[in-house]
Amino acid sequence: MNRRNLLHAALGAPALSLTGLLTPALSQAPGREDAFRFAFLSDTHIRPEGGADRACAMCFEQISASDCDFAIHGGDHIEDALGVDRERATMLMDLYQRTERKHLRKTVHHAIGNHDCLGVFAESGIAPDAPDYGKAFYTAHFGPRYYAFDHKGVHFVVLDSIGLTDDRNYEGRIDEDQLAWLRADLAQQPRGQRIIVVTHIPLVTALGCYEPVSWLNTPHNWTFVVNTREVLRVLQDYNVIAVLQGHSHVFEQITLNGLHFISPGAVAGADWQGSFLGTPEGYCEIAVTGEDVWASFRTYGFDVPDRQDVPI
C-alpha cells in the first residue's frame, strides 16, 4: 500500500479551478531593503514516463528565469523509492539530479520526503540492514535530514518529518533527537529573529477535511505530523513568520494563532495525471518583507497527455 496507489484510486472527474483563490501578486508586497523572494516547490515525483522529466525541466527553467534568490524543494523529489527495487530508485534519483543540475540554476535547499526513502515497503525487496536503506538513500544524495541556513536576516529551519515505523511503513513525525536539536538551534537565535520552518509532511493542514476517502485507509497517519503539538510548543516562543509544507499536493494557506502555514501544491499535480483537489501542476513564489510573508501560486504550462483530474 502506498499513497500513489491510493491517489490513482481517486482519479476521475474534472477539478475545481483556482481562479479567484490565489493570493495577491507578489508585486503588491511593499518594498524594503531586506525584502526578497524565493521559489518553494515540492513533490516533483520525477520519472521518465509520461513527460514528467520534461515537465520538471520546464518548471525548473521558469524558476531559473525568475528573480527568486534561491529555491527550496519540499521533498518527494522522485516518483518513489519506498516500494521499488534499488535499480529503479537509483535511476529516478539520477534523473532528478541531472535535471536539477541542468535546468534549476539557483541555489537549492532540499527537504526529505517520504518517497525519497529507499526500500521502506517490504515489496521493494530491499533488506532493512542494507547500507542505503531508508533515509540513508536521501542523505547520500542531498546531505543532512535536518539543518538550518540564513538569508537576508531570516533563519530557515529545514526539518525531517518522516517517521519510519517498525512495520516498514511511515507516519508524519518529528523525532525526539530532532526536537532537541530544534530547541538548541532556536535558543541560539537573537531575540526577535525572523524564522521560517520547512517540513515535508504538514504540521497543520485542513487536508483531512477534503482528502480522498481512500487516503484514510492507511496503517499510520500519512496526512500530517502526529506530534505537531510538541513542535508548536517549541516554536511558540519564537518569531516564526511562516511554516512551509509539502506532501499534500494542494495549494493551501492556514493561519493558526498568527502563524502562517503554506502548502505549495505539487510540481507533479495529481502524480502527472492532472490537477489534484483543484490545484494544478505548479509551485509557489514566496515573498518576504519584514515579518510579512506572501505566497503566490505559479503554474508552468505543462500539458498533461492523458488528463484525469482528481476532484474534491
Side-chain angles (χ1 to χ4, degrees):
M1 180 190 301
N2 60 54
R3 200 174 186 93
R4 181 171 309 281
N5 290 339
L6 295 176
L7 179 60
H8 287 168
L11 294 172
L16 299 176
S17 170
L18 278 181
T19 302
L21 298 180
L22 301 183
T23 50
L26 297 185
S27 60
Q28 296 176 14
R32 279 177 44 147
E33 289 184 1
D34 62 352
F36 64 95
R37 68 183 73 195
F38 60 94
F40 178 43
L41 66 155
S42 192
D43 296 84
T44 43
H45 289 279
I46 201 169
R47 65 187 189 195
E49 299 84 10
D53 53 344
R54 176 174 60 85
C56 287
M58 291 171 61
C59 178
F60 294 173
E61 286 290 344
Q62 181 167 301
I63 293 170
S64 296
S66 74
D67 61 356
C68 292
D69 287 5
F70 60 92
I72 297 177
H73 194 305
D76 280 1
H77 299 74
I78 65 175
E79 180 188 35
D80 185 52
L82 287 167
V84 302
D85 61 29
R86 181 178 284 102
E87 181 179 5
R88 172 75 178 181
T90 301
M91 179 274 290
L92 292 171
M93 186 60 77
D94 290 347
L95 176 61
Y96 175 83
Q97 295 200 302
R98 288 198 312 272
T99 305
E100 183 187 280
R101 283 194 299 268
K102 183 176 181 180
H103 296 285
L104 188 44
R105 295 175 299 279
K106 303 273 186 186
T107 297
V108 186
H109 303 278
H110 299 271
I112 186 172
N114 48 292
H115 285 280
D116 300 323
C117 301
L118 178 67
V120 174
F121 295 161
E123 66 199 57
S124 68
I126 299 171
D129 60 358
D132 55 354
Y133 177 80
K135 299 179 183 183
F137 184 68
Y138 172 88
T139 59
H141 291 90
F142 294 113
R145 298 182 292 113
Y146 52 92
Y147 60 95
F149 67 94
D150 297 281
H151 185 80
K152 292 186 178 178
V154 176
H155 185 65
F156 288 80
V157 177
V158 181
L159 300 178
D160 167 15
S161 55
I162 315 303
L164 299 185
T165 58
D166 292 339
D167 58 346
R168 298 193 65 169
N169 213 285
Y170 75 91
E171 65 181 359
R173 180 176 292 278
I174 309 296
D175 62 57
E176 287 300 322
D177 289 345
Q178 191 174 175
L179 283 172
W181 171 86
L182 179 62
R183 292 186 189 96
D185 178 79
L186 296 180
Q188 294 174 9
Q189 304 310 310
R191 184 177 180 83
Q193 171 68 59
R194 293 173 295 160
I195 296 164
I196 292 178
V197 176
V198 181
T199 172
H200 179 67
I201 298 180
L203 294 180
V204 174
T205 176
L207 186 64
C209 299
Y210 57 88
E211 65 185 333
V213 174
S214 59
W215 279 26
L216 303 175
N217 184 26
T218 59
H220 301 280
N221 190 330
W222 292 357
T223 301
F224 58 86
V225 169
V226 296
N227 61 330
T228 287
R229 285 185 181 87
E230 293 180 73
V231 183
L232 293 180
R233 287 169 185 152
V234 175
L235 300 179
Q236 67 184 356
D237 294 329
Y238 298 93
N239 186 25
V240 180
I241 59 175
V243 176
L244 308 181
Q245 316 175 128
H247 193 59
S248 67
H249 292 226
V250 295
F251 176 49
E252 181 184 75
Q253 299 189 76
I254 294 174
T255 301
L256 173 65
N257 297 329
L259 182 52
H260 195 32
F261 299 83
I262 302 170
S263 299
V267 173
D271 286 353
W272 305 114
Q273 297 288 326
S275 64
F276 183 63
L277 305 181
T279 303
E281 303 84 4
Y283 63 97
C284 276
E285 284 190 9
I286 307 293
V288 179
T289 305
E291 298 191 1
D292 295 322
V293 178
W294 286 265
S296 184
F297 185 83
R298 299 282 188 251
T299 57
Y300 57 90
F302 180 60
D303 186 15
V304 178
D306 181 21
R307 178 170 294 276
Q308 300 180 63
D309 299 321
V310 177
I312 288 182

